[in-house]
Amino acid sequence: MTEMSTVTEAAAPAPKVPTLPDAQTVTEVKHWTDRLFSFRCTRPAALRFRSGEFVMIGLMGDPDPKTGKQKPLLRAYSIASPSWDEELEFYSIKVQDGPLTSKLQHIKVGDEIILRPKPVGTLVHDALLPGKRIWFFATGTGFAPFASLLREPQTYQDYDEVIITHTCREVGELQYGRELIEALKTDELLNEVIGEGFWKKIKYYPTTTREESPKMGRITDLMRSGEAFADLGVAPINPEDDRAMVCGNLAFNLEIKDMLEGYGLEEGANSKPAQYVVEKAFLD
């Protein structure tokens, strides 16, 4: 598949008065490929969350043929924007026959979505013990929580090095993450708040599994062979220095989990911080 150019809608006018329960107004929509899109919406005034958490968002379903009543279609979505952002950002796959995404992919600026303001999740700094290097392992739209954490000042206060791996099938599916990381270099606010050149701590390692790209292969295979560590110029993962967060499809999550434990890392939680965490709510 050839990479599609990004399509961006103009900023929204003044938000409408919400008519849906827990409604928020869409302020921007970007279609990255024929399978991926992102959007921004207004943020509830009372919403407080930690970068890396997720919320339930959705739309009203079709009316029941018998009763005419509608029920909300809700799914867990990682918040891709950082905790300090005035708006909320989400990154989504398009599934043509998906109950929610078949509808959600057609939203436009000014439309309303349902957002339940009760953030939860395991991909938060509080669930990890202090370390020197943080690994973010993502497949597909599993990049979303890391889009939040890469713009979170605490990430750079807590770690000397930030490694983000992103494995997708095709080159175009890497565009969202690549553009976000590139934009950090010229983000005046973050360079001022975190420190000039904070982005130099980041090592970005994108790979593809189908379409030809500079680095082919699954990140798990590249780690087993030692190629990933050699490319990045770092030592293999160890429990003294390394911490990790994982967000991908279920098979990937389980595989990385086994590998991390093979390196000697223990799984953490909000109630018991350790060396790595896995987002169990995400399904690519």
Side-chain angles (χ1 to χ4, degrees):
M1 184 188 71
T2 56
E3 184 173 340
M4 295 175 63
S5 59
T6 303
V7 179
T8 307
E9 294 192 12
K16 298 184 295 183
V17 177
T19 55
L20 295 173
D22 297 315
Q24 297 301 320
T25 304
V26 175
T27 60
E28 182 183 273
V29 180
K30 291 185 179 182
H31 293 275
W32 300 92
T33 73
D34 58 359
R35 295 182 65 250
L36 297 167
F37 72 107
S38 64
F39 64 94
R40 293 175 67 85
C41 67
T42 53
R43 175 175 176 169
L47 177 62
R48 298 290 180 269
F49 69 94
R50 296 173 295 176
S51 293
E53 291 187 312
F54 65 86
V55 290
M56 302 296 290
I57 66 171
L59 299 167
M60 294 302 291
D62 294 328
D64 183 281
K66 296 181 180 179
T67 65
K69 293 183 178 180
Q70 292 176 279
K71 292 183 179 180
L73 290 169
L74 300 173
R75 296 291 184 273
Y77 270 75
S78 293
I79 303 172
S81 46
S83 60
W84 50 264
D85 201 323
E86 294 180 354
E87 293 187 335
L88 298 176
E89 181 180 336
F90 298 96
Y91 183 43
S92 179
I93 194 169
K94 305 176 186 179
V95 181
Q96 301 309 320
D97 57 350
L100 176 59
T101 60
S102 61
K103 300 175 181 294
L104 193 63
Q105 64 183 289
H106 299 298
I107 58 172
K108 295 180 172 59
V109 169
D111 288 349
E112 292 177 347
I113 63 163
I114 303 168
L115 188 149
R116 296 284 163 81
K118 295 179 181 179
V120 291
T122 56
L123 300 186
V124 292
H125 288 305
D126 294 344
L128 295 176
L129 295 171
K132 295 180 181 179
R133 182 187 300 120
I134 181 75
W135 292 77
F136 295 146
F137 293 105
T139 63
T141 53
F143 190 92
F146 305 131
S148 174
L149 287 157
L150 285 168
R151 292 178 281 185
E152 170 56 54
Q154 186 180 347
T155 300
Y156 306 94
Q157 295 164 6
D158 288 358
Y159 299 98
D160 298 329
E161 206 163 24
V162 180
I163 299 176
I164 170 74
T165 80
H166 192 198
T167 298
C168 295
R169 291 177 294 184
E170 299 166 344
V171 173
E173 296 171 349
L174 296 167
Q175 185 180 355
Y176 173 80
R178 184 174 61 245
E179 288 193 11
L180 185 146
I181 291 171
E182 190 65 26
L184 295 177
K185 300 176 182 179
T186 55
D187 190 309
E188 294 182 4
L189 175 62
L190 285 178
N191 276 277
E192 180 179 345
V193 172
I194 302 173
E196 193 69 33
F198 75 93
W199 48 269
K200 294 178 182 178
K201 288 188 175 185
I202 299 172
K203 289 188 174 182
Y204 174 47
Y205 197 69
T207 71
T208 57
T209 57
R210 291 188 185 176
E211 186 179 2
E212 189 71 27
S213 72
K215 180 57 63 174
M216 299 285 293
R218 300 166 71 245
I219 183 60
T220 46
D221 293 336
L222 294 167
M223 290 167 65
R224 285 193 188 93
S225 69
E227 187 175 341
F229 302 118
D231 290 340
L232 291 164
V234 299
I237 292 172
N238 69 83
E240 287 74 35
D241 300 327
D242 295 287
R243 302 294 175 260
M245 295 185 178
V246 184
C247 191
N249 60 66
L250 183 58
F252 174 79
N253 287 359
L254 293 173
E255 187 177 6
I256 283 281
K257 177 184 170 77
D258 287 343
M259 291 184 68
L260 293 175
E261 292 183 354
Y263 291 125
L265 276 63
E266 295 182 4
E267 186 171 6
N270 282 281
S271 57
K272 188 181 179 183
Q275 286 107 10
Y276 81 92
V277 286
V278 178
E279 185 53 85
K280 297 175 175 63
F282 176 79
L283 291 177
D284 190 13

